[in-house]
Amino acid sequence: MIETASKAGMGLLLAVATPIGGDPTLWAQWGLAGLVVGYTLWRDHNRERRMSAAIERDHKWMRETLVDALERNTAALEKVATRFGIKEPA
């Protein structure tokens, strides 16, 4: 929530500070601060996209690998319980 608010705030400041007219002196005053804010927004957007893809990849691996292993272990434990006559708790 805080990151979203700070990004929205930077974007709003960028939009408000952008000179509408073609006066080069206004662009010169805006210059470096605008570049820093623009670069920061671009960098954070790319990082969020990469992290989202990495998290989704990890979740997919967990669903496909760990759940299958858990199902195999459950089946093996059920076979052992049946073989030794262990009853399920009530």
mmCIF file with all atom_site columns, all heavy atoms in Angstrom, residues 65-81:
data_model
loop_
_atom_site.group_PDB
_atom_site.id
_atom_site.type_symbol
_atom_site.label_atom_id
_atom_site.label_alt_id
_atom_site.label_comp_id
_atom_site.label_asym_id
_atom_site.label_entity_id
_atom_site.label_seq_id
_atom_site.pdbx_PDB_ins_code
_atom_site.Cartn_x
_atom_site.Cartn_y
_atom_site.Cartn_z
_atom_site.occupancy
_atom_site.B_iso_or_equiv
_atom_site.pdbx_formal_charge
_atom_site.auth_seq_id
_atom_site.auth_comp_id
_atom_site.auth_asym_id
_atom_site.auth_atom_id
_atom_site.pdbx_PDB_model_num
ATOM 1   N N   . THR A 1 65 ? 4.945  -29.701 -8.081 1.00 0.00 ? 65 THR A N   1
ATOM 2   C CA  . THR A 1 65 ? 5.917  -30.618 -7.500 1.00 0.00 ? 65 THR A CA  1
ATOM 3   C C   . THR A 1 65 ? 5.547  -31.038 -6.077 1.00 0.00 ? 65 THR A C   1
ATOM 4   O O   . THR A 1 65 ? 5.453  -32.227 -5.776 1.00 0.00 ? 65 THR A O   1
ATOM 5   C CB  . THR A 1 65 ? 7.314  -29.980 -7.490 1.00 0.00 ? 65 THR A CB  1
ATOM 6   O OG1 . THR A 1 65 ? 7.619  -29.567 -8.817 1.00 0.00 ? 65 THR A OG1 1
ATOM 7   C CG2 . THR A 1 65 ? 8.359  -30.948 -7.006 1.00 0.00 ? 65 THR A CG2 1
ATOM 8   N N   . LEU A 1 66 ? 5.353  -30.076 -5.220 1.00 0.00 ? 66 LEU A N   1
ATOM 9   C CA  . LEU A 1 66 ? 5.140  -30.400 -3.811 1.00 0.00 ? 66 LEU A CA  1
ATOM 10  C C   . LEU A 1 66 ? 3.791  -31.058 -3.559 1.00 0.00 ? 66 LEU A C   1
ATOM 11  O O   . LEU A 1 66 ? 3.694  -31.971 -2.729 1.00 0.00 ? 66 LEU A O   1
ATOM 12  C CB  . LEU A 1 66 ? 5.286  -29.146 -2.962 1.00 0.00 ? 66 LEU A CB  1
ATOM 13  C CG  . LEU A 1 66 ? 6.672  -28.502 -2.982 1.00 0.00 ? 66 LEU A CG  1
ATOM 14  C CD1 . LEU A 1 66 ? 6.688  -27.255 -2.120 1.00 0.00 ? 66 LEU A CD1 1
ATOM 15  C CD2 . LEU A 1 66 ? 7.731  -29.474 -2.523 1.00 0.00 ? 66 LEU A CD2 1
ATOM 16  N N   . VAL A 1 67 ? 2.753  -30.636 -4.268 1.00 0.00 ? 67 VAL A N   1
ATOM 17  C CA  . VAL A 1 67 ? 1.444  -31.248 -4.062 1.00 0.00 ? 67 VAL A CA  1
ATOM 18  C C   . VAL A 1 67 ? 1.466  -32.700 -4.535 1.00 0.00 ? 67 VAL A C   1
ATOM 19  O O   . VAL A 1 67 ? 0.909  -33.583 -3.874 1.00 0.00 ? 67 VAL A O   1
ATOM 20  C CB  . VAL A 1 67 ? 0.337  -30.426 -4.769 1.00 0.00 ? 67 VAL A CB  1
ATOM 21  C CG1 . VAL A 1 67 ? -0.990 -31.158 -4.747 1.00 0.00 ? 67 VAL A CG1 1
ATOM 22  C CG2 . VAL A 1 67 ? 0.195  -29.071 -4.109 1.00 0.00 ? 67 VAL A CG2 1
ATOM 23  N N   . ASP A 1 68 ? 2.130  -32.969 -5.661 1.00 0.00 ? 68 ASP A N   1
ATOM 24  C CA  . ASP A 1 68 ? 2.247  -34.357 -6.131 1.00 0.00 ? 68 ASP A CA  1
ATOM 25  C C   . ASP A 1 68 ? 3.018  -35.206 -5.118 1.00 0.00 ? 68 ASP A C   1
ATOM 26  O O   . ASP A 1 68 ? 2.640  -36.350 -4.846 1.00 0.00 ? 68 ASP A O   1
ATOM 27  C CB  . ASP A 1 68 ? 2.947  -34.414 -7.493 1.00 0.00 ? 68 ASP A CB  1
ATOM 28  C CG  . ASP A 1 68 ? 2.077  -33.881 -8.611 1.00 0.00 ? 68 ASP A CG  1
ATOM 29  O OD1 . ASP A 1 68 ? 0.839  -33.802 -8.414 1.00 0.00 ? 68 ASP A OD1 1
ATOM 30  O OD2 . ASP A 1 68 ? 2.629  -33.540 -9.677 1.00 0.00 ? 68 ASP A OD2 1
ATOM 31  N N   . ALA A 1 69 ? 4.094  -34.671 -4.580 1.00 0.00 ? 69 ALA A N   1
ATOM 32  C CA  . ALA A 1 69 ? 4.871  -35.415 -3.581 1.00 0.00 ? 69 ALA A CA  1
ATOM 33  C C   . ALA A 1 69 ? 4.030  -35.673 -2.330 1.00 0.00 ? 69 ALA A C   1
ATOM 34  O O   . ALA A 1 69 ? 4.080  -36.769 -1.755 1.00 0.00 ? 69 ALA A O   1
ATOM 35  C CB  . ALA A 1 69 ? 6.129  -34.643 -3.218 1.00 0.00 ? 69 ALA A CB  1
ATOM 36  N N   . LEU A 1 70 ? 3.239  -34.694 -1.917 1.00 0.00 ? 70 LEU A N   1
ATOM 37  C CA  . LEU A 1 70 ? 2.372  -34.859 -0.749 1.00 0.00 ? 70 LEU A CA  1
ATOM 38  C C   . LEU A 1 70 ? 1.323  -35.940 -1.009 1.00 0.00 ? 70 LEU A C   1
ATOM 39  O O   . LEU A 1 70 ? 1.041  -36.765 -0.125 1.00 0.00 ? 70 LEU A O   1
ATOM 40  C CB  . LEU A 1 70 ? 1.704  -33.530 -0.400 1.00 0.00 ? 70 LEU A CB  1
ATOM 41  C CG  . LEU A 1 70 ? 0.816  -33.515 0.826  1.00 0.00 ? 70 LEU A CG  1
ATOM 42  C CD1 . LEU A 1 70 ? 1.626  -33.864 2.057  1.00 0.00 ? 70 LEU A CD1 1
ATOM 43  C CD2 . LEU A 1 70 ? 0.166  -32.157 0.980  1.00 0.00 ? 70 LEU A CD2 1
ATOM 44  N N   . GLU A 1 71 ? 0.772  -35.963 -2.213 1.00 0.00 ? 71 GLU A N   1
ATOM 45  C CA  . GLU A 1 71 ? -0.211 -36.999 -2.538 1.00 0.00 ? 71 GLU A CA  1
ATOM 46  C C   . GLU A 1 71 ? 0.422  -38.392 -2.542 1.00 0.00 ? 71 GLU A C   1
ATOM 47  O O   . GLU A 1 71 ? -0.182 -39.352 -2.048 1.00 0.00 ? 71 GLU A O   1
ATOM 48  C CB  . GLU A 1 71 ? -0.840 -36.699 -3.900 1.00 0.00 ? 71 GLU A CB  1
ATOM 49  C CG  . GLU A 1 71 ? -1.776 -35.506 -3.874 1.00 0.00 ? 71 GLU A CG  1
ATOM 50  C CD  . GLU A 1 71 ? -2.258 -35.098 -5.259 1.00 0.00 ? 71 GLU A CD  1
ATOM 51  O OE1 . GLU A 1 71 ? -1.753 -35.642 -6.274 1.00 0.00 ? 71 GLU A OE1 1
ATOM 52  O OE2 . GLU A 1 71 ? -3.142 -34.241 -5.325 1.00 0.00 ? 71 GLU A OE2 1
ATOM 53  N N   . ARG A 1 72 ? 1.639  -38.508 -3.073 1.00 0.00 ? 72 ARG A N   1
ATOM 54  C CA  . ARG A 1 72 ? 2.332  -39.808 -3.063 1.00 0.00 ? 72 ARG A CA  1
ATOM 55  C C   . ARG A 1 72 ? 2.625  -40.255 -1.636 1.00 0.00 ? 72 ARG A C   1
ATOM 56  O O   . ARG A 1 72 ? 2.463  -41.438 -1.289 1.00 0.00 ? 72 ARG A O   1
ATOM 57  C CB  . ARG A 1 72 ? 3.623  -39.724 -3.875 1.00 0.00 ? 72 ARG A CB  1
ATOM 58  C CG  . ARG A 1 72 ? 3.403  -39.684 -5.363 1.00 0.00 ? 72 ARG A CG  1
ATOM 59  C CD  . ARG A 1 72 ? 4.709  -39.885 -6.114 1.00 0.00 ? 72 ARG A CD  1
ATOM 60  N NE  . ARG A 1 72 ? 5.783  -39.057 -5.619 1.00 0.00 ? 72 ARG A NE  1
ATOM 61  C CZ  . ARG A 1 72 ? 6.198  -37.920 -6.174 1.00 0.00 ? 72 ARG A CZ  1
ATOM 62  N NH1 . ARG A 1 72 ? 5.625  -37.482 -7.263 1.00 0.00 ? 72 ARG A NH1 1
ATOM 63  N NH2 . ARG A 1 72 ? 7.185  -37.238 -5.658 1.00 0.00 ? 72 ARG A NH2 1
ATOM 64  N N   . ASN A 1 73 ? 3.076  -39.330 -0.794 1.00 0.00 ? 73 ASN A N   1
ATOM 65  C CA  . ASN A 1 73 ? 3.365  -39.674 0.607  1.00 0.00 ? 73 ASN A CA  1
ATOM 66  C C   . ASN A 1 73 ? 2.096  -40.092 1.341  1.00 0.00 ? 73 ASN A C   1
ATOM 67  O O   . ASN A 1 73 ? 2.115  -41.020 2.155  1.00 0.00 ? 73 ASN A O   1
ATOM 68  C CB  . ASN A 1 73 ? 4.015  -38.495 1.324  1.00 0.00 ? 73 ASN A CB  1
ATOM 69  C CG  . ASN A 1 73 ? 5.441  -38.282 0.887  1.00 0.00 ? 73 ASN A CG  1
ATOM 70  O OD1 . ASN A 1 73 ? 6.037  -39.142 0.259  1.00 0.00 ? 73 ASN A OD1 1
ATOM 71  N ND2 . ASN A 1 73 ? 5.979  -37.124 1.204  1.00 0.00 ? 73 ASN A ND2 1
ATOM 72  N N   . THR A 1 74 ? 0.997  -39.421 1.069  1.00 0.00 ? 74 THR A N   1
ATOM 73  C CA  . THR A 1 74 ? -0.270 -39.770 1.703  1.00 0.00 ? 74 THR A CA  1
ATOM 74  C C   . THR A 1 74 ? -0.690 -41.174 1.308  1.00 0.00 ? 74 THR A C   1
ATOM 75  O O   . THR A 1 74 ? -1.126 -41.974 2.149  1.00 0.00 ? 74 THR A O   1
ATOM 76  C CB  . THR A 1 74 ? -1.354 -38.748 1.314  1.00 0.00 ? 74 THR A CB  1
ATOM 77  O OG1 . THR A 1 74 ? -0.930 -37.449 1.720  1.00 0.00 ? 74 THR A OG1 1
ATOM 78  C CG2 . THR A 1 74 ? -2.678 -39.072 1.978  1.00 0.00 ? 74 THR A CG2 1
ATOM 79  N N   . ALA A 1 75 ? -0.560 -41.473 0.002  1.00 0.00 ? 75 ALA A N   1
ATOM 80  C CA  . ALA A 1 75 ? -0.921 -42.815 -0.467 1.00 0.00 ? 75 ALA A CA  1
ATOM 81  C C   . ALA A 1 75 ? -0.037 -43.868 0.191  1.00 0.00 ? 75 ALA A C   1
ATOM 82  O O   . ALA A 1 75 ? -0.528 -44.944 0.596  1.00 0.00 ? 75 ALA A O   1
ATOM 83  C CB  . ALA A 1 75 ? -0.798 -42.884 -1.988 1.00 0.00 ? 75 ALA A CB  1
ATOM 84  N N   . ALA A 1 76 ? 1.257  -43.600 0.327  1.00 0.00 ? 76 ALA A N   1
ATOM 85  C CA  . ALA A 1 76 ? 2.168  -44.559 0.968  1.00 0.00 ? 76 ALA A CA  1
ATOM 86  C C   . ALA A 1 76 ? 1.803  -44.760 2.435  1.00 0.00 ? 76 ALA A C   1
ATOM 87  O O   . ALA A 1 76 ? 1.805  -45.902 2.937  1.00 0.00 ? 76 ALA A O   1
ATOM 88  C CB  . ALA A 1 76 ? 3.613  -44.074 0.835  1.00 0.00 ? 76 ALA A CB  1
ATOM 89  N N   . LEU A 1 77 ? 1.480  -43.688 3.137  1.00 0.00 ? 77 LEU A N   1
ATOM 90  C CA  . LEU A 1 77 ? 1.100  -43.813 4.550  1.00 0.00 ? 77 LEU A CA  1
ATOM 91  C C   . LEU A 1 77 ? -0.209 -44.581 4.698  1.00 0.00 ? 77 LEU A C   1
ATOM 92  O O   . LEU A 1 77 ? -0.375 -45.351 5.658  1.00 0.00 ? 77 LEU A O   1
ATOM 93  C CB  . LEU A 1 77 ? 0.985  -42.430 5.187  1.00 0.00 ? 77 LEU A CB  1
ATOM 94  C CG  . LEU A 1 77 ? 2.310  -41.704 5.450  1.00 0.00 ? 77 LEU A CG  1
ATOM 95  C CD1 . LEU A 1 77 ? 2.049  -40.284 5.930  1.00 0.00 ? 77 LEU A CD1 1
ATOM 96  C CD2 . LEU A 1 77 ? 3.140  -42.466 6.452  1.00 0.00 ? 77 LEU A CD2 1
ATOM 97  N N   . GLU A 1 78 ? -1.138 -44.376 3.771  1.00 0.00 ? 78 GLU A N   1
ATOM 98  C CA  . GLU A 1 78 ? -2.394 -45.129 3.829  1.00 0.00 ? 78 GLU A CA  1
ATOM 99  C C   . GLU A 1 78 ? -2.142 -46.619 3.621  1.00 0.00 ? 78 GLU A C   1
ATOM 100 O O   . GLU A 1 78 ? -2.772 -47.460 4.275  1.00 0.00 ? 78 GLU A O   1
ATOM 101 C CB  . GLU A 1 78 ? -3.376 -44.589 2.790  1.00 0.00 ? 78 GLU A CB  1
ATOM 102 C CG  . GLU A 1 78 ? -3.948 -43.241 3.157  1.00 0.00 ? 78 GLU A CG  1
ATOM 103 C CD  . GLU A 1 78 ? -4.792 -42.631 2.046  1.00 0.00 ? 78 GLU A CD  1
ATOM 104 O OE1 . GLU A 1 78 ? -4.778 -43.140 0.899  1.00 0.00 ? 78 GLU A OE1 1
ATOM 105 O OE2 . GLU A 1 78 ? -5.460 -41.626 2.330  1.00 0.00 ? 78 GLU A OE2 1
ATOM 106 N N   . LYS A 1 79 ? -1.226 -46.963 2.717  1.00 0.00 ? 79 LYS A N   1
ATOM 107 C CA  . LYS A 1 79 ? -0.883 -48.376 2.502  1.00 0.00 ? 79 LYS A CA  1
ATOM 108 C C   . LYS A 1 79 ? -0.261 -48.985 3.754  1.00 0.00 ? 79 LYS A C   1
ATOM 109 O O   . LYS A 1 79 ? -0.584 -50.113 4.149  1.00 0.00 ? 79 LYS A O   1
ATOM 110 C CB  . LYS A 1 79 ? 0.081  -48.517 1.326  1.00 0.00 ? 79 LYS A CB  1
ATOM 111 C CG  . LYS A 1 79 ? -0.568 -48.327 -0.014 1.00 0.00 ? 79 LYS A CG  1
ATOM 112 C CD  . LYS A 1 79 ? 0.466  -48.477 -1.115 1.00 0.00 ? 79 LYS A CD  1
ATOM 113 C CE  . LYS A 1 79 ? -0.132 -48.165 -2.470 1.00 0.00 ? 79 LYS A CE  1
ATOM 114 N NZ  . LYS A 1 79 ? 0.857  -48.267 -3.551 1.00 0.00 ? 79 LYS A NZ  1
ATOM 115 N N   . VAL A 1 80 ? 0.649  -48.241 4.390  1.00 0.00 ? 80 VAL A N   1
ATOM 116 C CA  . VAL A 1 80 ? 1.289  -48.724 5.619  1.00 0.00 ? 80 VAL A CA  1
ATOM 117 C C   . VAL A 1 80 ? 0.247  -48.900 6.713  1.00 0.00 ? 80 VAL A C   1
ATOM 118 O O   . VAL A 1 80 ? 0.243  -49.911 7.436  1.00 0.00 ? 80 VAL A O   1
ATOM 119 C CB  . VAL A 1 80 ? 2.411  -47.756 6.064  1.00 0.00 ? 80 VAL A CB  1
ATOM 120 C CG1 . VAL A 1 80 ? 2.885  -48.067 7.468  1.00 0.00 ? 80 VAL A CG1 1
ATOM 121 C CG2 . VAL A 1 80 ? 3.561  -47.797 5.084  1.00 0.00 ? 80 VAL A CG2 1
ATOM 122 N N   . ALA A 1 81 ? -0.667 -47.945 6.833  1.00 0.00 ? 81 ALA A N   1
ATOM 123 C CA  . ALA A 1 81 ? -1.700 -48.038 7.860  1.00 0.00 ? 81 ALA A CA  1
ATOM 124 C C   . ALA A 1 81 ? -2.607 -49.234 7.612  1.00 0.00 ? 81 ALA A C   1
ATOM 125 O O   . ALA A 1 81 ? -2.991 -49.951 8.551  1.00 0.00 ? 81 ALA A O   1
ATOM 126 C CB  . ALA A 1 81 ? -2.518 -46.747 7.893  1.00 0.00 ? 81 ALA A CB  1
#
